[in-house]
Amino acid sequence: MKTLSIIVPCFNEEECLPVFYEKTSEVVGHMPVETEFVFIDDGSTDNTLQILRGLAAVDKRVRYVSFSRNFGKEAGLYAGLQHATGDYVCVMDADLQDPPSLLPEMLDILNSGEDYDCVASRRTTRKNEPKVRSAFARLFYKLINKMTDTEIVDGARDFRMMTRRMTDAILSLPERERFSKELFSWVGFKTKWIEYENVERVKGKTKWSFKKLTKYAVNGIEGATPALLKINLLFCVLFALAGFGFVVADIVMAVVRPAVPDLFILLTLLFFCFSALFFGLFVLGEYIKKIFLQVRGRALYIEKETEQTRPETKPLAAAKSDAKDDDKCA
Ligand code: UDP
Ligand code: MG
């Protein structure tokens, strides 16, 4: 039987963990897979670790890794992916905002034979979320999607189930500044999106303060793309335009007045100097971009399949005759 690993990053989740374990165990108990839980205790200061020790003592399916301090959810996700051994890997929050009832559907989609390697989830509403937070989140998704080639879906949760090959692809990306939502999208593979209404956290409070979220957003953009470096080009153009504006003003002054004021000449020179300076910074930025991409060390391509790993398929001749039969029927 195939195995499903459920990765759960936990930071001070003593209230949620018992409910999460109970509800999720009940659902996976009816699924045609063996399950392992991989809990990542992200340096919790409450009884999270004690609860995990207790669960591991009574249930062989429970594995956990406890961090020496709080390293953040991204580190937790990475550790979970590293320790997961399953054929299918699922990432879930501990607070039941990711409904375990969706797990059977997710597994069915991966097994449907339609070549899906990932079933991702997206919440359709931001109900019960503070308005400012929702507005900033929307702005963030707009910005990052403008700046990156990959699409990062607004409202996408980290809650998703993936095949082993997609999990390995994500693990093969060696970068330190990880922004999982972008990595999931960057590695490619056919993904099916399922949608659900926002569910409130079962117990406890969100671990994301506004400051932590802002840092996450800024780190996300910086890690995902060097596009911010292009801002130098914008300043270069703006200063050049201002410089040309002043050249025109200088000419008009020279015609209508006996002399051009010194201040105008000074500003004209200053704007052109700034423009040249920003052009230099832009060129520097282009090289820094290349260093960034080289150091990030992502693969040039990700393999999905070779003849060695192909699923069972009919030989081409048989497939063609099947297609002809289908045509006849039509
Ligand atoms: N989490 C974590 N480390 C952190 C912050 C959060 O492992 O530094 C975990 C947390 O325990 C939960 C998941 O990440 O299982 C999502 O956190 P939370 O529910 O607070 O975020 P929200 O759903 O409000 O975005
Ligand atoms: Mg939550």
Side-chain angles (χ1 to χ4, degrees), residues 226-227 229-230 282-297:
L229 286 168
K230 283 224 161 64
F282 163 69
V283 173
L284 209 64
E286 287 297 293
Y287 283 97
I288 293 176
K289 180 172 108 183
K290 294 211 182 320
I291 298 171
F292 169 93
L293 293 174
Q294 184 74 31
V295 171
R296 191 165 70 171

Side-chain angles (χ1 to χ4, degrees), residues 9 11 13 42 70 93-95 97 201 206-208 212:
F11 178 49
E13 297 287 7
D42 187 11
N70 180 248
D93 286 357
D95 55 10
Q97 281 195 288
R201 185 178 239 289
T206 174
K207 308 295 178 303
W208 295 91
K212 225 173 159 183

